[in-house]
Amino acid sequence: MYTLYIGNKNYSTWSLRSWVLMRAAGIRFREQRLLLDQADTSARIRAHSPSSKVPCLHDGTVVVWDTMAIAEYLAERHPGLWPADSEARAWARSAAAEMHSGFANLRNEFGMNLRVHDPREPSPTVASEIERIKEIWGEGRRRFGGSGNFLCGAFGIVDAFYCPVAFRFRSYGVALTGVCAAYQAQLIALSAMQEWAADAARETEQIPKYDSLAQGHQR
Ligand SMILES: N[C@@H](CCC(=O)N[C@@H](CS)C(=O)NCC(=O)O)C(=O)O
């Protein structure tokens, strides 16, 4: 069976992407949580993950680190994680890759913290990143969503990459309308997302550097 090494569920967006992908796709795995921001975090993660980062997937003797590599490894073994249609798949890969390598300002300013409810105005840079995400969501739903609820129809890798954004937009009160609002609601309503949020709510660890980013009231 797979083992997925992850960080704190309240804060770790990269862990969420791999975890929710596997859970929503019904892929069985054992999870191992490694606490972030402790004096020995790097060494403890390094014992399982060559990059000293989570998530990291172990499949027997095979070790796969980085969310994109994990997604691709799983896609080779579990059909349906990328769209079957080549044009839709190219789009989904591009949209997932854009999230993987971009949106740094959104990440810094609107850090994922499931305890936070702090509606606020984004800075102009983050506002433009939010507009780009809305554009991606609208385009996916319009061109490839079909009768499904997700960007390319059924839930897949591209949706998993945007799951943390759905939580961030809720925490910081990003106003969405139409297809974007509906898509965010679909992501948050996934049973895997609800399970992740419930697990996060039971966590007691606090990471002051991430909590101070939020500076809002906790919920
Ligand atoms: N590009 C990596 C990023 C992974 C990453 O930055 N993970 C954070 C947690 S969300 C981490 O492991 N940090 C280690 C630390 O804080 O020491 C990926 O896609 O997996």
Side-chain angles (χ1 to χ4, degrees), residues 20-21 24-25 80-83 88 91-92 95 136-163 166 179-194:
V20 88
L21 176 67
L81 299 184
W82 289 120
W91 184 89
I136 292 168
W137 287 6
E139 185 185 358
R141 293 292 300 138
R142 188 180 68 254
R143 290 181 59 195
F144 306 112
S147 56
N149 292 326
F150 297 98
L151 292 180
C152 295
F155 184 84
I157 292 168
V158 65
D159 303 293
F161 273 73
Y162 285 89
C163 276
V179 290
C180 291
Y183 176 62
Q184 179 198 28
Q186 289 292 345
L187 290 181
I188 290 177
L190 278 169
S191 60
M193 287 280 275
Q194 293 296 313

Coordinates of all heavy atoms in Angstrom, one line a residue, residues 20-21 24-25 80-83 88 91-92 95 136-163 166 179-194:
V20 N -5.9 14.9 -1.2 CA -7.3 15.0 -1.7 C -7.4 14.3 -3.0 O -8.5 13.6 -3.3 CB -7.7 16.5 -1.8 CG1 -7.4 17.1 -3.1 CG2 -9.2 16.7 -1.5
L21 N -6.4 14.3 -3.8 CA -6.4 13.6 -5.1 C -6.6 12.1 -4.8 O -7.4 11.4 -5.4 CB -5.1 13.8 -5.8 CG -4.9 13.1 -7.1 CD1 -6.0 13.5 -8.2 CD2 -3.5 13.2 -7.7
A24 N -10.1 11.4 -3.1 CA -11.2 11.6 -4.0 C -11.2 10.5 -5.1 O -12.3 10.1 -5.6 CB -11.2 13.0 -4.6
A25 N -10.1 10.0 -5.4 CA -10.0 9.0 -6.5 C -10.1 7.6 -5.9 O -10.1 6.6 -6.7 CB -8.6 9.1 -7.2
G80 N -7.8 7.9 -15.4 CA -8.9 8.9 -15.1 C -8.4 10.2 -14.4 O -9.2 11.1 -14.2
L81 N -7.2 10.2 -13.9 CA -6.7 11.4 -13.1 C -6.5 12.6 -14.0 O -6.6 13.7 -13.6 CB -5.5 11.0 -12.3 CG -5.7 9.9 -11.2 CD1 -4.5 9.7 -10.4 CD2 -7.0 10.2 -10.4
W82 N -6.1 12.3 -15.3 CA -6.0 13.3 -16.3 C -7.2 13.1 -17.3 O -7.6 11.9 -17.4 CB -4.7 13.3 -17.1 CG -3.5 13.8 -16.4 CD1 -2.4 13.0 -16.2 CD2 -3.2 15.1 -15.8 NE1 -1.4 13.7 -15.5 CE2 -1.9 15.0 -15.3 CE3 -3.9 16.2 -15.7 CZ2 -1.3 16.1 -14.7 CZ3 -3.3 17.3 -15.1 CH2 -2.0 17.3 -14.6
P83 N -7.7 14.1 -18.0 CA -8.8 13.8 -18.9 C -8.3 12.9 -20.0 O -7.1 13.0 -20.4 CB -9.1 15.2 -19.5 CG -8.5 16.2 -18.5 CD -7.4 15.5 -17.8
A88 N -8.1 18.4 -23.9 CA -8.5 18.7 -22.5 C -7.3 18.4 -21.5 O -7.0 19.1 -20.6 CB -9.7 17.9 -22.1
W91 N -4.7 21.1 -21.7 CA -5.2 22.2 -20.9 C -5.1 22.0 -19.4 O -4.6 22.8 -18.7 CB -6.7 22.6 -21.3 CG -7.1 23.8 -20.6 CD1 -7.0 25.1 -21.0 CD2 -7.7 23.9 -19.3 NE1 -7.5 26.0 -20.1 CE2 -8.0 25.2 -19.0 CE3 -8.1 22.9 -18.4 CZ2 -8.6 25.7 -17.8 CZ3 -8.7 23.4 -17.2 CH2 -8.9 24.7 -16.9
A92 N -5.5 20.8 -19.0 CA -5.5 20.5 -17.6 C -4.0 20.4 -17.1 O -3.7 20.9 -16.0 CB -6.1 19.1 -17.3
A95 N -2.9 24.1 -16.8 CA -3.5 24.8 -15.6 C -3.0 24.3 -14.3 O -2.8 25.1 -13.4 CB -5.1 24.6 -15.7
I136 N -9.0 31.0 -15.4 CA -8.7 29.5 -15.6 C -10.0 28.7 -15.3 O -10.4 27.8 -16.0 CB -7.5 29.1 -14.7 CG1 -6.2 29.7 -15.2 CG2 -7.4 27.6 -14.7 CD1 -5.0 29.6 -14.3
W137 N -10.6 29.0 -14.1 CA -11.7 28.2 -13.7 C -12.9 28.4 -14.8 O -13.5 27.4 -15.1 CB -12.2 28.7 -12.4 CG -11.4 28.3 -11.2 CD1 -10.1 27.7 -11.3 CD2 -11.6 28.5 -9.8 NE1 -9.6 27.4 -10.0 CE2 -10.5 27.9 -9.1 CE3 -12.6 29.1 -9.1 CZ2 -10.4 27.9 -7.7 CZ3 -12.6 29.0 -7.7 CH2 -11.5 28.5 -7.0
G138 N -13.1 29.6 -15.2 CA -14.1 29.9 -16.2 C -13.9 29.1 -17.5 O -14.8 28.5 -18.1
E139 N -12.6 29.2 -17.9 CA -12.3 28.6 -19.2 C -12.4 27.0 -19.1 O -13.0 26.4 -20.0 CB -10.8 28.9 -19.6 CG -10.5 28.4 -21.0 CD -9.0 28.6 -21.4 OE1 -8.2 29.2 -20.6 OE2 -8.7 28.1 -22.5
G140 N -11.9 26.4 -18.0 CA -12.0 25.0 -17.9 C -13.5 24.5 -17.9 O -13.9 23.6 -18.6
R141 N -14.3 25.2 -17.1 CA -15.7 24.8 -17.0 C -16.4 25.0 -18.4 O -17.2 24.1 -18.8 CB -16.4 25.7 -15.9 CG -16.0 25.5 -14.5 CD -16.4 24.1 -14.0 NE -17.8 23.9 -14.0 CZ -18.4 22.8 -14.4 NH1 -17.7 21.7 -14.8 NH2 -19.7 22.7 -14.4
R142 N -16.1 26.1 -19.0 CA -16.8 26.4 -20.3 C -16.3 25.4 -21.4 O -17.1 24.8 -22.1 CB -16.4 27.8 -20.7 CG -17.2 28.3 -21.9 CD -16.9 29.8 -22.3 NE -15.5 29.9 -22.8 CZ -14.5 30.4 -22.1 NH1 -14.6 30.9 -20.9 NH2 -13.3 30.5 -22.7
R143 N -15.0 25.2 -21.5 CA -14.5 24.4 -22.6 C -14.6 22.9 -22.4 O -14.8 22.1 -23.3 CB -13.1 24.8 -23.0 CG -13.0 26.2 -23.6 CD -11.5 26.5 -23.9 NE -10.9 25.6 -24.8 CZ -9.6 25.5 -25.0 NH1 -8.8 26.3 -24.4 NH2 -9.1 24.7 -25.9
F144 N -14.3 22.5 -21.1 CA -14.1 21.0 -20.9 C -15.0 20.4 -19.8 O -14.9 19.2 -19.6 CB -12.6 20.8 -20.5 CG -11.6 21.3 -21.6 CD1 -10.8 22.4 -21.2 CD2 -11.6 20.8 -22.8 CE1 -9.9 22.9 -22.2 CE2 -10.7 21.3 -23.8 CZ -9.9 22.4 -23.4
G145 N -15.7 21.3 -19.1 CA -16.5 20.8 -17.9 C -17.6 19.8 -18.3 O -17.9 18.9 -17.6
G146 N -18.2 20.1 -19.5 CA -19.3 19.2 -19.9 C -20.4 19.1 -18.9 O -20.8 20.1 -18.2
S147 N -20.8 17.9 -18.6 CA -21.9 17.7 -17.6 C -21.4 17.4 -16.3 O -22.1 17.2 -15.3 CB -22.9 16.6 -18.1 OG -22.1 15.4 -18.3
G148 N -20.0 17.4 -16.1 CA -19.4 17.2 -14.8 C -19.4 18.4 -14.0 O -19.8 19.5 -14.4
N149 N -18.9 18.3 -12.7 CA -18.9 19.4 -11.8 C -17.5 20.1 -11.7 O -17.4 21.1 -11.0 CB -19.3 19.0 -10.4 CG -20.7 18.5 -10.3 OD1 -21.5 19.1 -11.0 ND2 -21.0 17.5 -9.5
F150 N -16.5 19.5 -12.4 CA -15.2 20.0 -12.2 C -14.6 20.6 -13.5 O -15.3 20.7 -14.5 CB -14.3 18.9 -11.6 CG -14.9 18.5 -10.2 CD1 -15.7 17.4 -10.1 CD2 -14.7 19.3 -9.1 CE1 -16.3 17.1 -8.8 CE2 -15.2 19.0 -7.9 CZ -16.1 17.9 -7.7
L151 N -13.3 21.0 -13.4 CA -12.8 21.8 -14.6 C -12.8 21.1 -15.9 O -13.1 21.6 -16.9 CB -11.3 22.3 -14.3 CG -11.2 23.3 -13.1 CD1 -9.8 23.7 -12.9 CD2 -12.1 24.6 -13.4
C152 N -12.5 19.8 -15.8 CA -12.6 19.0 -17.1 C -13.6 17.9 -16.9 O -13.4 16.8 -17.4 CB -11.2 18.5 -17.4 SG -10.0 19.8 -17.8
G153 N -14.7 18.1 -16.2 CA -15.7 17.1 -16.0 C -15.6 16.5 -14.7 O -16.0 17.0 -13.7
A154 N -15.0 15.3 -14.7 CA -14.8 14.5 -13.4 C -13.7 15.1 -12.6 O -12.7 15.7 -13.2 CB -14.6 13.1 -13.7
F155 N -13.7 15.0 -11.3 CA -12.6 15.5 -10.5 C -11.3 14.8 -10.9 O -11.2 13.6 -11.1 CB -12.9 15.1 -9.0 CG -11.8 15.7 -8.1 CD1 -11.9 17.0 -7.6 CD2 -10.8 14.9 -7.6 CE1 -11.0 17.6 -6.7 CE2 -9.8 15.5 -6.8 CZ -9.9 16.8 -6.3
G156 N -10.2 15.6 -11.0 CA -8.9 15.0 -11.4 C -7.8 15.8 -10.8 O -8.0 16.7 -9.9
I157 N -6.6 15.6 -11.4 CA -5.4 16.3 -10.9 C -5.5 17.8 -10.9 O -5.2 18.5 -9.9 CB -4.1 15.8 -11.6 CG1 -3.9 14.3 -11.3 CG2 -2.9 16.7 -11.3 CD1 -2.9 13.7 -12.2
V158 N -6.0 18.3 -12.0 CA -6.1 19.8 -12.1 C -7.0 20.4 -11.0 O -6.6 21.4 -10.5 CB -6.6 20.2 -13.5 CG1 -8.0 19.8 -13.8 CG2 -6.4 21.7 -13.7
D159 N -8.0 19.7 -10.6 CA -8.9 20.2 -9.6 C -8.2 20.1 -8.2 O -8.3 21.0 -7.4 CB -10.2 19.4 -9.5 CG -10.9 19.4 -10.9 OD1 -11.4 20.5 -11.2 OD2 -11.0 18.3 -11.5
A160 N -7.4 19.0 -8.0 CA -6.7 18.8 -6.7 C -5.8 20.0 -6.5 O -5.6 20.5 -5.4 CB -6.0 17.5 -6.7
F161 N -5.1 20.5 -7.7 CA -4.2 21.6 -7.5 C -4.8 22.9 -7.1 O -4.2 23.7 -6.5 CB -3.4 21.7 -8.8 CG -2.2 20.9 -8.8 CD1 -2.3 19.5 -9.0 CD2 -0.9 21.4 -8.6 CE1 -1.2 18.6 -9.0 CE2 0.2 20.5 -8.6 CZ 0.1 19.2 -8.8
Y162 N -6.1 23.0 -7.4 CA -6.8 24.3 -7.0 C -7.6 24.1 -5.7 O -8.2 25.1 -5.3 CB -7.7 24.7 -8.2 CG -6.9 25.4 -9.3 CD1 -6.4 24.6 -10.3 CD2 -6.5 26.7 -9.2 CE1 -5.5 25.1 -11.3 CE2 -5.7 27.3 -10.2 CZ -5.2 26.5 -11.2 OH -4.4 27.0 -12.1
C163 N -7.6 22.9 -5.1 CA -8.3 22.8 -3.8 C -7.9 23.8 -2.7 O -8.8 24.4 -2.1 CB -8.2 21.3 -3.3 SG -9.4 20.2 -4.1
A166 N -9.6 27.1 -3.1 CA -11.0 27.1 -2.7 C -11.1 27.5 -1.2 O -11.9 28.3 -0.8 CB -11.7 25.8 -2.9
V179 N -20.0 30.6 -12.5 CA -19.3 29.3 -12.6 C -18.2 29.2 -11.6 O -18.0 28.1 -11.0 CB -18.8 29.0 -14.0 CG1 -19.8 28.8 -15.0 CG2 -17.8 30.1 -14.5
C180 N -17.5 30.3 -11.3 CA -16.4 30.3 -10.3 C -16.9 30.0 -8.9 O -16.4 29.2 -8.2 CB -15.6 31.6 -10.3 SG -14.7 31.8 -11.8
A181 N -18.0 30.6 -8.5 CA -18.7 30.4 -7.2 C -19.1 29.0 -7.1 O -18.9 28.3 -6.1 CB -19.8 31.4 -7.0
A182 N -19.7 28.5 -8.2 CA -20.3 27.1 -8.2 C -19.1 26.1 -8.1 O -19.2 25.1 -7.4 CB -21.1 26.9 -9.5
Y183 N -18.0 26.4 -8.8 CA -16.9 25.5 -8.8 C -16.2 25.4 -7.4 O -15.9 24.4 -6.9 CB -15.9 25.9 -9.9 CG -14.6 25.1 -9.9 CD1 -14.7 23.7 -10.1 CD2 -13.4 25.6 -9.6 CE1 -13.5 22.9 -10.1 CE2 -12.2 24.9 -9.6 CZ -12.3 23.5 -9.9 OH -11.1 22.8 -9.9
Q184 N -16.1 26.6 -6.8 CA -15.5 26.6 -5.5 C -16.4 25.8 -4.5 O -15.8 25.0 -3.7 CB -15.4 28.1 -5.0 CG -14.9 28.2 -3.5 CD -15.2 29.5 -2.8 OE1 -16.2 30.1 -3.2 NE2 -14.3 29.9 -1.9
A185 N -17.7 26.0 -4.6 CA -18.6 25.2 -3.7 C -18.5 23.7 -4.0 O -18.5 22.9 -3.0 CB -20.0 25.7 -4.0
Q186 N -18.3 23.3 -5.2 CA -18.1 21.9 -5.5 C -16.8 21.3 -4.9 O -16.8 20.2 -4.4 CB -18.1 21.6 -7.0 CG -19.4 21.8 -7.8 CD -20.4 20.8 -7.4 OE1 -20.1 19.7 -6.8 NE2 -21.7 21.0 -7.7
L187 N -15.8 22.1 -5.0 CA -14.5 21.7 -4.4 C -14.7 21.5 -2.9 O -14.3 20.5 -2.3 CB -13.4 22.7 -4.7 CG -12.9 22.7 -6.1 CD1 -11.7 23.7 -6.2 CD2 -12.4 21.4 -6.6
I188 N -15.2 22.5 -2.2 CA -15.3 22.5 -0.8 C -16.3 21.4 -0.3 O -16.1 20.8 0.8 CB -15.8 23.9 -0.2 CG1 -14.6 24.9 -0.4 CG2 -16.1 23.8 1.3 CD1 -14.8 26.3 0.0
A189 N -17.3 21.1 -1.1 CA -18.3 20.1 -0.7 C -17.8 18.6 -0.9 O -18.4 17.7 -0.4 CB -19.6 20.3 -1.6
L190 N -16.6 18.5 -1.6 CA -16.1 17.1 -1.8 C -15.9 16.4 -0.4 O -15.4 17.1 0.5 CB -14.7 17.2 -2.4 CG -14.6 17.3 -3.9 CD1 -13.2 17.6 -4.3 CD2 -15.1 16.1 -4.6
S191 N -16.3 15.2 -0.3 CA -16.2 14.5 1.0 C -14.7 14.5 1.4 O -14.4 14.6 2.6 CB -16.8 13.1 1.0 OG -16.2 12.3 0.1
A192 N -13.8 14.4 0.5 CA -12.4 14.4 0.8 C -12.0 15.7 1.4 O -11.2 15.8 2.4 CB -11.5 14.1 -0.4
M193 N -12.5 16.8 0.9 CA -12.2 18.2 1.4 C -12.8 18.3 2.8 O -12.2 18.9 3.7 CB -12.7 19.2 0.5 CG -11.9 19.4 -0.8 SD -10.4 20.4 -0.5 CE -11.0 22.0 -0.7
Q194 N -14.0 17.8 3.0 CA -14.6 17.9 4.3 C -13.9 17.1 5.3 O -13.7 17.5 6.5 CB -16.1 17.4 4.2 CG -17.0 18.3 3.4 CD -17.2 19.7 4.0 OE1 -17.4 19.8 5.2 NE2 -17.0 20.7 3.2

